[in-house]
Amino acid sequence: MNESGQLVVGFDLDMTLIDTVPGFRDVLVALGDELGVEFPVEEMTSKLGPPLDILLAPYLPADQIAAAGERFRSLYPDHAITNVPAFAGAHDALAAVRKHAGRVVVVTGKYAANAQLHVDHVGFEIDHLEGWVWGVGKADVLMREGASIYVGDHVHDVEGALAAGVVSVSVLTGGCTRAELEDAGTHVILDDLSQFPAWLDGHLAGTSERRPQSLG
């Protein structure tokens, strides 16, 4: 709860709320066609989470990465919105926060304008979206918004939650394994967001312990 006593829950976007693999794949193909580069698309989409510049770095000269990133973001709306679905349970997870009169904050490493396109397309009801923040950088946003829980799929989401001093809830819908998330220090592991409403009810009722646990 924040200082006013209101529940605030932060959610990552890519591979937590939405399955961005199809869109990311199509943009990489389009970008590669323009640059004359055959990106290893399956490999690159197997562990989405780090910033785009880091993903592109092994395949492009350093002086081309910034421009390639800009072009990726400009190609994105035409190739990666309508083909990207919400994960099963995502809408129910957000509704679970609303049931407790809570606020929903999306904190993502994605370019904010493109993130908003996803939110609008799948019809998520949220209170605030913060883009282009990653890893421990998410902590400042979570603290500013008064979040007490952050839900993500990547070890860097765990880092952000722990740096903010909030409960880290991890889902296994991204590229990180259960062992990787446990080693990163997450407090709770869910198979997917369909398990989140029941967990949240228990957490707020005080019947879920804040310790590494798995509901999978």
Side-chain angles (χ1 to χ4, degrees):
M1 302 289 179
N2 60 20
E3 291 181 358
S4 67
Q6 183 181 31
L7 172 69
V8 180
V9 179
F11 289 87
D12 177 48
L13 184 63
D14 291 1
M15 306 311 295
T16 299
L17 288 169
I18 59 174
D19 181 1
T20 36
V21 169
F24 204 97
R25 180 188 297 122
D26 288 355
V27 181
L28 280 176
V29 170
L31 179 65
D33 287 345
E34 289 191 4
L35 298 178
V37 176
E38 188 172 345
F39 291 113
V41 173
E42 297 304 320
E43 177 184 340
M44 293 175 74
T45 56
S46 67
K47 278 206 174 226
L48 295 179
L52 178 63
D53 289 357
I54 292 176
L55 292 175
L56 293 176
Y59 312 107
L60 295 172
D63 61 355
Q64 294 182 19
I65 291 174
E70 286 299 319
R71 184 57 181 152
F72 182 99
R73 286 182 281 274
S74 66
L75 289 167
Y76 197 94
D78 289 335
H79 294 272
I81 303 301
T82 60
N83 56 347
V84 169
F87 274 120
H91 284 92
D92 289 343
L94 303 187
V97 179
R98 299 286 184 206
K99 186 183 80 169
H100 292 283
R103 296 180 67 244
V104 173
V105 178
V106 172
V107 186
T108 174
K110 185 180 291 298
Y111 179 53
N114 288 339
Q116 187 65 53
L117 291 175
H118 282 298
V119 168
D120 294 342
H121 174 68
V122 297
F124 287 148
E125 183 183 350
I126 68 171
D127 296 288
H128 179 72
L129 185 149
E130 191 90 15
W132 268 13
V133 284
W134 181 62
V136 295
K138 294 185 175 184
D140 289 341
V141 180
L142 294 172
M143 290 187 289
R144 185 191 73 214
E145 295 297 321
S148 59
I149 300 166
Y150 185 58
V151 186
D153 66 283
H154 199 279
V155 294
H156 295 302
D157 296 323
V158 179
E159 291 173 356
L162 297 184
V166 307
V167 176
S168 170
V169 177
S170 297
V171 289
L172 295 174
T173 46
C176 289
T177 65
R178 186 182 301 272
E180 288 171 333
L181 294 164
E182 288 175 347
D183 289 346
T186 194
H187 300 113
V188 178
I189 298 177
L190 309 176
D191 286 337
D192 54 49
L193 286 176
S194 67
Q195 296 177 329
F196 180 79
W199 174 82
L200 182 64
D201 286 346
H203 173 72
L204 295 176
T207 57
S208 294
E209 297 182 38
R210 180 173 169 168
R211 60 180 177 80
Q213 65 181 101
S214 173
L215 299 185

